[in-house]
Amino acid sequence: MFSIIRHFKKSSVLLSNLPLTSSTEFTQNINKFTSPKIIVSYVHSATIQKNSEATQAALTEDTVNGLPDKLYKLVEVEVRGNDKEVLKSYAWFTKTAANHLGVQVGKSWTPHKPHHERYTVLRSIHVNKKCRVQYEFRTYFHFMQFHKLTGSTADTFLEYIQRNLPEGVAMKVTKVGLEVIPEYIQPPEKADKIETPSPS
């Protein structure tokens, strides 16, 4: 069964379940509905099924025989926020998720002192002109390192921890990848030594 959709400028009409048995009958039915203002499109369920199977086979072929997956030697996650305890709890959650996914957890540390930003503002413009008020913003940091990740594992893991990021916490990810040395940088191969006859 084919389904024919006719699109007009202001309205759309759906004509479905038209029995078509051959390409000639299909073209004859199409000619009945064609006009300059109408775009006719048809969908065949069997064609969609075949296309989906072909696409799935192509995807599996690309994943198996295509380019190898990316390799990361180190993935460093930096989180920053205004509450130290929230960062500590989120670090525990991230390391627990990494252990469940089989990701190798490296160092995890917090700097001793937070980053301070101080702003000085006049308290009174007219009476107490020399009186000042200081406002301070403290930003805490936490760093976590994960070793030996593939590209697909890193994408899945990072997407999972980013979706569970607490409110008011920012994240920065640094990846250190492994690349193949280009041919113009590789050292030349040692040529076989030619044995020279010794003088007698």
Side-chain angles (χ1 to χ4, degrees), residues 4-57:
I4 299 179
I5 304 173
R6 298 169 56 189
H7 300 279
F8 296 90
K9 286 187 175 180
K10 296 183 179 179
S11 63
S12 61
V13 180
L14 176 63
L15 302 177
S16 61
N17 298 328
L18 291 179
L20 299 174
T21 56
S22 62
S23 59
T24 55
E25 293 181 6
F26 175 72
T27 53
Q28 290 175 0
N29 290 327
I30 288 295
N31 292 330
K32 293 179 183 178
F33 299 108
T34 52
S35 67
K37 297 181 180 179
I38 299 174
I39 302 173
V40 182
S41 61
Y42 64 95
V43 179
H44 191 269
S45 59
T47 307
I48 292 178
Q49 187 176 0
K50 290 179 181 178
N51 290 338
S52 62
E53 291 175 357
T55 306
Q56 186 176 1

Short mmCIF file of all heavy atoms in Angstrom, two decimals, residues 4-57:
data_model
loop_
_atom_site.label_atom_id
_atom_site.label_comp_id
_atom_site.label_asym_id
_atom_site.label_seq_id
_atom_site.Cartn_x
_atom_site.Cartn_y
_atom_site.Cartn_z
N ILE A 4 -0.34 8.71 -0.23
CA ILE A 4 -0.05 9.91 -0.99
C ILE A 4 -0.46 11.12 -0.16
O ILE A 4 -1.57 11.20 0.34
CB ILE A 4 -0.79 9.93 -2.34
CG1 ILE A 4 -0.32 8.74 -3.18
CG2 ILE A 4 -0.56 11.22 -3.08
CD1 ILE A 4 -1.00 8.65 -4.51
N ILE A 5 0.48 12.07 0.00
CA ILE A 5 0.22 13.28 0.76
C ILE A 5 0.26 14.45 -0.19
O ILE A 5 1.25 14.65 -0.90
CB ILE A 5 1.27 13.45 1.88
CG1 ILE A 5 1.29 12.21 2.78
CG2 ILE A 5 0.98 14.69 2.70
CD1 ILE A 5 2.39 12.21 3.78
N ARG A 6 -0.81 15.21 -0.21
CA ARG A 6 -0.88 16.39 -1.08
C ARG A 6 -0.74 17.62 -0.21
O ARG A 6 -1.50 17.84 0.73
CB ARG A 6 -2.22 16.43 -1.83
CG ARG A 6 -2.43 15.23 -2.75
CD ARG A 6 -3.84 15.19 -3.25
NE ARG A 6 -4.19 16.44 -3.93
CZ ARG A 6 -5.43 16.75 -4.32
NH1 ARG A 6 -6.41 15.90 -4.08
NH2 ARG A 6 -5.68 17.89 -4.92
N HIS A 7 0.25 18.46 -0.52
CA HIS A 7 0.50 19.67 0.25
C HIS A 7 0.07 20.88 -0.56
O HIS A 7 0.57 21.12 -1.65
CB HIS A 7 1.99 19.79 0.59
CG HIS A 7 2.49 18.63 1.39
ND1 HIS A 7 2.32 18.54 2.75
CD2 HIS A 7 3.14 17.50 1.01
CE1 HIS A 7 2.86 17.42 3.17
NE2 HIS A 7 3.36 16.77 2.14
N PHE A 8 -0.88 21.64 -0.03
CA PHE A 8 -1.30 22.90 -0.63
C PHE A 8 -0.62 24.05 0.10
O PHE A 8 0.05 23.85 1.11
CB PHE A 8 -2.83 23.05 -0.57
CG PHE A 8 -3.56 22.01 -1.38
CD1 PHE A 8 -3.95 20.81 -0.81
CD2 PHE A 8 -3.83 22.23 -2.72
CE1 PHE A 8 -4.61 19.86 -1.55
CE2 PHE A 8 -4.49 21.27 -3.47
CZ PHE A 8 -4.89 20.08 -2.89
N LYS A 9 -0.83 25.25 -0.40
CA LYS A 9 -0.22 26.41 0.24
C LYS A 9 -0.84 26.68 1.60
O LYS A 9 -0.15 27.02 2.55
CB LYS A 9 -0.36 27.64 -0.65
CG LYS A 9 0.56 27.63 -1.85
CD LYS A 9 0.50 28.95 -2.59
CE LYS A 9 1.52 28.98 -3.73
NZ LYS A 9 1.47 30.26 -4.45
N LYS A 10 -2.16 26.56 1.72
CA LYS A 10 -2.83 26.90 2.97
C LYS A 10 -3.40 25.69 3.71
O LYS A 10 -3.74 25.79 4.87
CB LYS A 10 -3.95 27.90 2.71
CG LYS A 10 -3.46 29.24 2.20
CD LYS A 10 -4.60 30.21 2.04
CE LYS A 10 -4.12 31.57 1.54
NZ LYS A 10 -5.24 32.52 1.36
N SER A 11 -3.56 24.59 3.05
CA SER A 11 -4.13 23.41 3.70
C SER A 11 -3.44 22.17 3.19
O SER A 11 -2.78 22.19 2.17
CB SER A 11 -5.64 23.33 3.43
OG SER A 11 -5.88 23.18 2.05
N SER A 12 -3.63 21.07 3.89
CA SER A 12 -3.03 19.80 3.48
C SER A 12 -4.09 18.72 3.52
O SER A 12 -4.92 18.68 4.42
CB SER A 12 -1.87 19.42 4.42
OG SER A 12 -2.36 19.26 5.72
N VAL A 13 -4.09 17.87 2.51
CA VAL A 13 -5.06 16.79 2.40
C VAL A 13 -4.30 15.48 2.39
O VAL A 13 -3.30 15.34 1.68
CB VAL A 13 -5.90 16.94 1.11
CG1 VAL A 13 -6.90 15.81 1.00
CG2 VAL A 13 -6.60 18.29 1.09
N LEU A 14 -4.75 14.52 3.15
CA LEU A 14 -4.10 13.22 3.22
C LEU A 14 -4.98 12.20 2.52
O LEU A 14 -6.12 11.99 2.88
CB LEU A 14 -3.89 12.81 4.69
CG LEU A 14 -3.30 11.43 4.92
CD1 LEU A 14 -1.90 11.35 4.34
CD2 LEU A 14 -3.29 11.10 6.40
N LEU A 15 -4.41 11.57 1.50
CA LEU A 15 -5.09 10.48 0.79
C LEU A 15 -4.29 9.21 1.04
O LEU A 15 -3.15 9.10 0.61
CB LEU A 15 -5.15 10.78 -0.71
CG LEU A 15 -5.85 12.09 -1.11
CD1 LEU A 15 -5.75 12.27 -2.61
CD2 LEU A 15 -7.30 12.08 -0.68
N SER A 16 -4.85 8.29 1.77
CA SER A 16 -4.10 7.10 2.16
C SER A 16 -4.78 5.85 1.64
O SER A 16 -5.94 5.87 1.22
CB SER A 16 -3.99 7.03 3.70
OG SER A 16 -5.29 6.96 4.25
N ASN A 17 -4.01 4.77 1.73
CA ASN A 17 -4.50 3.44 1.37
C ASN A 17 -5.01 3.38 -0.08
O ASN A 17 -6.09 2.88 -0.35
CB ASN A 17 -5.60 2.98 2.32
CG ASN A 17 -5.11 2.88 3.74
OD1 ASN A 17 -3.94 2.57 3.96
ND2 ASN A 17 -5.97 3.14 4.69
N LEU A 18 -4.22 3.93 -0.98
CA LEU A 18 -4.57 3.81 -2.39
C LEU A 18 -3.94 2.52 -2.92
O LEU A 18 -2.73 2.33 -2.82
CB LEU A 18 -4.03 5.00 -3.19
CG LEU A 18 -4.72 6.35 -2.90
CD1 LEU A 18 -4.06 7.43 -3.73
CD2 LEU A 18 -6.20 6.28 -3.21
N PRO A 19 -4.75 1.60 -3.49
CA PRO A 19 -4.18 0.33 -3.98
C PRO A 19 -3.37 0.56 -5.25
O PRO A 19 -3.89 1.03 -6.25
CB PRO A 19 -5.42 -0.53 -4.24
CG PRO A 19 -6.52 0.44 -4.48
CD PRO A 19 -6.22 1.66 -3.67
N LEU A 20 -2.11 0.23 -5.21
CA LEU A 20 -1.23 0.34 -6.38
C LEU A 20 -0.51 -0.98 -6.53
O LEU A 20 0.07 -1.50 -5.58
CB LEU A 20 -0.22 1.47 -6.18
CG LEU A 20 -0.83 2.88 -6.01
CD1 LEU A 20 0.27 3.86 -5.69
CD2 LEU A 20 -1.56 3.31 -7.26
N THR A 21 -0.53 -1.49 -7.73
CA THR A 21 0.09 -2.79 -7.95
C THR A 21 1.31 -2.69 -8.84
O THR A 21 2.20 -3.52 -8.76
CB THR A 21 -0.92 -3.75 -8.61
OG1 THR A 21 -1.42 -3.16 -9.82
CG2 THR A 21 -2.09 -4.01 -7.67
N SER A 22 1.42 -1.69 -9.69
CA SER A 22 2.56 -1.58 -10.58
C SER A 22 2.97 -0.12 -10.69
O SER A 22 2.26 0.79 -10.26
CB SER A 22 2.22 -2.13 -11.97
OG SER A 22 1.17 -1.36 -12.55
N SER A 23 4.13 0.09 -11.30
CA SER A 23 4.64 1.44 -11.43
C SER A 23 3.81 2.26 -12.43
O SER A 23 3.67 3.46 -12.30
CB SER A 23 6.10 1.40 -11.88
OG SER A 23 6.20 0.72 -13.12
N THR A 24 3.22 1.57 -13.46
CA THR A 24 2.41 2.31 -14.44
C THR A 24 1.14 2.85 -13.80
O THR A 24 0.76 4.00 -14.03
CB THR A 24 2.04 1.38 -15.62
OG1 THR A 24 1.40 0.22 -15.11
CG2 THR A 24 3.30 0.98 -16.38
N GLU A 25 0.47 2.00 -12.97
CA GLU A 25 -0.71 2.48 -12.26
C GLU A 25 -0.34 3.59 -11.29
O GLU A 25 -1.11 4.54 -11.08
CB GLU A 25 -1.38 1.33 -11.53
CG GLU A 25 -1.98 0.29 -12.45
CD GLU A 25 -2.66 -0.83 -11.67
OE1 GLU A 25 -2.74 -0.70 -10.43
OE2 GLU A 25 -3.09 -1.81 -12.29
N PHE A 26 0.84 3.49 -10.69
CA PHE A 26 1.27 4.53 -9.77
C PHE A 26 1.43 5.86 -10.49
O PHE A 26 0.97 6.90 -10.03
CB PHE A 26 2.58 4.10 -9.11
CG PHE A 26 3.17 5.16 -8.23
CD1 PHE A 26 2.59 5.48 -7.02
CD2 PHE A 26 4.30 5.85 -8.62
CE1 PHE A 26 3.12 6.45 -6.21
CE2 PHE A 26 4.83 6.82 -7.83
CZ PHE A 26 4.24 7.12 -6.62
N THR A 27 2.09 5.83 -11.66
CA THR A 27 2.27 7.08 -12.40
C THR A 27 0.93 7.62 -12.90
O THR A 27 0.72 8.84 -12.96
CB THR A 27 3.21 6.85 -13.59
OG1 THR A 27 2.73 5.74 -14.36
CG2 THR A 27 4.62 6.56 -13.11
N GLN A 28 0.01 6.74 -13.28
CA GLN A 28 -1.30 7.22 -13.72
C GLN A 28 -2.04 7.91 -12.58
O GLN A 28 -2.66 8.96 -12.77
CB GLN A 28 -2.14 6.03 -14.24
CG GLN A 28 -1.62 5.47 -15.57
CD GLN A 28 -2.38 4.24 -15.99
OE1 GLN A 28 -3.30 3.80 -15.29
NE2 GLN A 28 -2.00 3.66 -17.13
N ASN A 29 -1.98 7.33 -11.38
CA ASN A 29 -2.63 7.96 -10.24
C ASN A 29 -1.94 9.26 -9.85
O ASN A 29 -2.60 10.20 -9.41
CB ASN A 29 -2.66 7.01 -9.04
CG ASN A 29 -3.63 5.85 -9.27
OD1 ASN A 29 -4.65 6.02 -9.92
ND2 ASN A 29 -3.27 4.70 -8.75
N ILE A 30 -0.65 9.29 -10.01
CA ILE A 30 0.07 10.53 -9.69
C ILE A 30 -0.35 11.63 -10.66
O ILE A 30 -0.54 12.78 -10.27
CB ILE A 30 1.59 10.29 -9.76
CG1 ILE A 30 2.05 9.44 -8.59
CG2 ILE A 30 2.35 11.60 -9.78
CD1 ILE A 30 1.89 10.11 -7.25
N ASN A 31 -0.50 11.30 -11.95
CA ASN A 31 -0.86 12.31 -12.94
C ASN A 31 -2.24 12.90 -12.67
O ASN A 31 -2.53 14.02 -13.08
CB ASN A 31 -0.82 11.70 -14.35
CG ASN A 31 0.60 11.34 -14.75
OD1 ASN A 31 1.55 11.98 -14.33
ND2 ASN A 31 0.74 10.31 -15.58
N LYS A 32 -3.11 12.15 -12.01
CA LYS A 32 -4.43 12.67 -11.70
C LYS A 32 -4.35 13.82 -10.70
O LYS A 32 -5.16 14.74 -10.74
CB LYS A 32 -5.32 11.56 -11.12
CG LYS A 32 -5.66 10.46 -12.11
CD LYS A 32 -6.50 9.42 -11.44
CE LYS A 32 -6.80 8.25 -12.39
NZ LYS A 32 -7.60 7.20 -11.72
N PHE A 33 -3.36 13.76 -9.77
CA PHE A 33 -3.31 14.73 -8.70
C PHE A 33 -2.28 15.83 -8.93
O PHE A 33 -2.22 16.77 -8.15
CB PHE A 33 -2.99 14.03 -7.37
CG PHE A 33 -4.02 13.01 -6.99
CD1 PHE A 33 -3.74 11.66 -7.06
CD2 PHE A 33 -5.27 13.39 -6.57
CE1 PHE A 33 -4.67 10.71 -6.70
CE2 PHE A 33 -6.21 12.46 -6.21
CZ PHE A 33 -5.92 11.10 -6.28
N THR A 34 -1.43 15.70 -9.93
CA THR A 34 -0.35 16.67 -10.10
C THR A 34 -0.89 17.99 -10.62
O THR A 34 -1.76 18.04 -11.48
CB THR A 34 0.70 16.15 -11.08
OG1 THR A 34 0.05 15.75 -12.29
CG2 THR A 34 1.47 14.99 -10.50
N SER A 35 -0.34 19.07 -10.08
CA SER A 35 -0.63 20.42 -10.52
C SER A 35 0.52 21.30 -10.09
O SER A 35 1.33 20.90 -9.26
CB SER A 35 -1.95 20.92 -9.91
OG SER A 35 -1.81 21.08 -8.52
N PRO A 36 0.66 22.53 -10.60
CA PRO A 36 1.82 23.35 -10.23
C PRO A 36 1.88 23.67 -8.74
O PRO A 36 2.96 23.91 -8.22
CB PRO A 36 1.60 24.63 -11.05
CG PRO A 36 0.74 24.22 -12.18
CD PRO A 36 -0.13 23.12 -11.66
N LYS A 37 0.76 23.69 -8.04
CA LYS A 37 0.75 24.08 -6.65
C LYS A 37 0.78 22.89 -5.70
O LYS A 37 0.68 23.05 -4.50
CB LYS A 37 -0.49 24.93 -6.35
CG LYS A 37 -0.54 26.23 -7.11
CD LYS A 37 -1.76 27.02 -6.75
CE LYS A 37 -1.82 28.33 -7.53
NZ LYS A 37 -3.03 29.10 -7.18
N ILE A 38 0.86 21.67 -6.23
CA ILE A 38 0.77 20.47 -5.40
C ILE A 38 2.10 19.72 -5.47
O ILE A 38 2.67 19.54 -6.54
CB ILE A 38 -0.37 19.55 -5.88
CG1 ILE A 38 -1.71 20.28 -5.77
CG2 ILE A 38 -0.40 18.26 -5.08
CD1 ILE A 38 -2.87 19.51 -6.33
N ILE A 39 2.56 19.30 -4.32
CA ILE A 39 3.74 18.43 -4.23
C ILE A 39 3.25 17.08 -3.74
O ILE A 39 2.64 16.97 -2.68
CB ILE A 39 4.78 19.01 -3.27
CG1 ILE A 39 5.20 20.41 -3.73
CG2 ILE A 39 5.97 18.09 -3.14
CD1 ILE A 39 6.10 21.11 -2.75
N VAL A 40 3.50 16.06 -4.52
CA VAL A 40 3.02 14.73 -4.19
C VAL A 40 4.21 13.90 -3.72
O VAL A 40 5.23 13.85 -4.38
CB VAL A 40 2.35 14.07 -5.41
CG1 VAL A 40 1.82 12.70 -5.05
CG2 VAL A 40 1.24 14.97 -5.93
N SER A 41 4.05 13.28 -2.58
CA SER A 41 5.09 12.40 -2.05
C SER A 41 4.45 11.09 -1.63
O SER A 41 3.32 11.08 -1.15
CB SER A 41 5.79 13.06 -0.85
OG SER A 41 4.86 13.29 0.17
N TYR A 42 5.15 10.00 -1.86
CA TYR A 42 4.61 8.70 -1.51
C TYR A 42 5.59 7.98 -0.60
O TYR A 42 6.79 8.17 -0.65
CB TYR A 42 4.34 7.86 -2.76
CG TYR A 42 5.57 7.53 -3.55
CD1 TYR A 42 6.23 6.32 -3.35
CD2 TYR A 42 6.09 8.42 -4.49
CE1 TYR A 42 7.35 6.01 -4.07
CE2 TYR A 42 7.21 8.12 -5.21
CZ TYR A 42 7.84 6.90 -5.00
OH TYR A 42 8.96 6.60 -5.71
N VAL A 43 5.01 7.15 0.23
CA VAL A 43 5.78 6.38 1.19
C VAL A 43 5.33 4.94 1.10
O VAL A 43 4.13 4.67 1.09
CB VAL A 43 5.56 6.91 2.64
CG1 VAL A 43 6.36 6.07 3.63
CG2 VAL A 43 5.94 8.36 2.73
N HIS A 44 6.24 4.06 1.01
CA HIS A 44 5.93 2.64 0.96
C HIS A 44 6.53 1.97 2.18
O HIS A 44 7.71 2.15 2.50
CB HIS A 44 6.50 2.02 -0.32
CG HIS A 44 5.99 0.63 -0.57
ND1 HIS A 44 6.64 -0.48 -0.10
CD2 HIS A 44 4.89 0.18 -1.21
CE1 HIS A 44 5.97 -1.57 -0.46
NE2 HIS A 44 4.90 -1.19 -1.13
N SER A 45 5.72 1.21 2.89
CA SER A 45 6.18 0.62 4.15
C SER A 45 7.31 -0.37 3.92
O SER A 45 8.27 -0.41 4.68
CB SER A 45 5.01 -0.06 4.86
OG SER A 45 4.46 -1.07 4.01
N ALA A 46 7.20 -1.17 2.87
CA ALA A 46 8.26 -2.15 2.60
C ALA A 46 9.56 -1.45 2.27
O ALA A 46 10.64 -1.89 2.67
CB ALA A 46 7.84 -3.07 1.46
N THR A 47 9.48 -0.33 1.53
CA THR A 47 10.70 0.42 1.18
C THR A 47 11.35 0.99 2.43
O THR A 47 12.57 0.94 2.58
CB THR A 47 10.34 1.56 0.21
OG1 THR A 47 9.62 1.02 -0.89
CG2 THR A 47 11.58 2.26 -0.27
N ILE A 48 10.54 1.50 3.36
CA ILE A 48 11.09 2.04 4.60
C ILE A 48 11.77 0.94 5.39
O ILE A 48 12.85 1.12 5.94
CB ILE A 48 9.96 2.69 5.43
CG1 ILE A 48 9.46 3.94 4.72
CG2 ILE A 48 10.43 3.01 6.83
CD1 ILE A 48 8.31 4.61 5.44
N GLN A 49 11.14 -0.24 5.43
CA GLN A 49 11.74 -1.34 6.17
C GLN A 49 13.07 -1.76 5.56
O GLN A 49 14.04 -1.99 6.26
CB GLN A 49 10.76 -2.51 6.21
CG GLN A 49 11.22 -3.66 7.10
CD GLN A 49 10.18 -4.75 7.19
OE1 GLN A 49 9.13 -4.64 6.56
NE2 GLN A 49 10.48 -5.78 7.95
N LYS A 50 13.11 -1.85 4.22
CA LYS A 50 14.36 -2.22 3.57
C LYS A 50 15.43 -1.16 3.80
O LYS A 50 16.59 -1.47 4.03
CB LYS A 50 14.12 -2.41 2.07
CG LYS A 50 13.30 -3.65 1.73
CD LYS A 50 13.08 -3.76 0.24
CE LYS A 50 12.23 -4.99 -0.11
NZ LYS A 50 11.97 -5.08 -1.56
N ASN A 51 15.03 0.13 3.72
CA ASN A 51 16.00 1.20 3.93
C ASN A 51 16.55 1.18 5.35
O ASN A 51 17.73 1.42 5.58
CB ASN A 51 15.36 2.56 3.63
CG ASN A 51 15.09 2.73 2.15
OD1 ASN A 51 15.72 2.08 1.32
ND2 ASN A 51 14.16 3.59 1.80
N SER A 52 15.67 0.91 6.33
CA SER A 52 16.13 0.87 7.71
C SER A 52 17.09 -0.30 7.92
O SER A 52 18.10 -0.16 8.61
CB SER A 52 14.94 0.75 8.66
OG SER A 52 14.24 -0.47 8.41
N GLU A 53 16.80 -1.46 7.29
CA GLU A 53 17.71 -2.59 7.43
C GLU A 53 19.05 -2.29 6.76
O GLU A 53 20.11 -2.62 7.30
CB GLU A 53 17.08 -3.84 6.80
CG GLU A 53 15.86 -4.36 7.57
CD GLU A 53 15.19 -5.51 6.84
OE1 GLU A 53 15.66 -5.84 5.72
OE2 GLU A 53 14.22 -6.07 7.38
N ALA A 54 19.01 -1.64 5.59
CA ALA A 54 20.25 -1.30 4.91
C ALA A 54 21.06 -0.28 5.71
O ALA A 54 22.29 -0.38 5.82
CB ALA A 54 19.95 -0.74 3.51
N THR A 55 20.36 0.69 6.31
CA THR A 55 21.05 1.69 7.12
C THR A 55 21.68 1.06 8.35
O THR A 55 22.82 1.36 8.71
CB THR A 55 20.06 2.78 7.56
OG1 THR A 55 19.42 3.31 6.40
CG2 THR A 55 20.78 3.90 8.30
N GLN A 56 20.95 0.14 8.99
CA GLN A 56 21.49 -0.53 10.17
C GLN A 56 22.70 -1.38 9.80
O GLN A 56 23.69 -1.40 10.53
CB GLN A 56 20.40 -1.39 10.80
CG GLN A 56 20.82 -2.03 12.13
CD GLN A 56 19.68 -2.80 12.75
OE1 GLN A 56 18.60 -2.86 12.17
NE2 GLN A 56 19.92 -3.37 13.91
N ALA A 57 22.62 -2.06 8.66
CA ALA A 57 23.76 -2.88 8.23
C ALA A 57 24.97 -2.00 7.92
O ALA A 57 26.11 -2.34 8.25
CB ALA A 57 23.37 -3.70 7.00
#
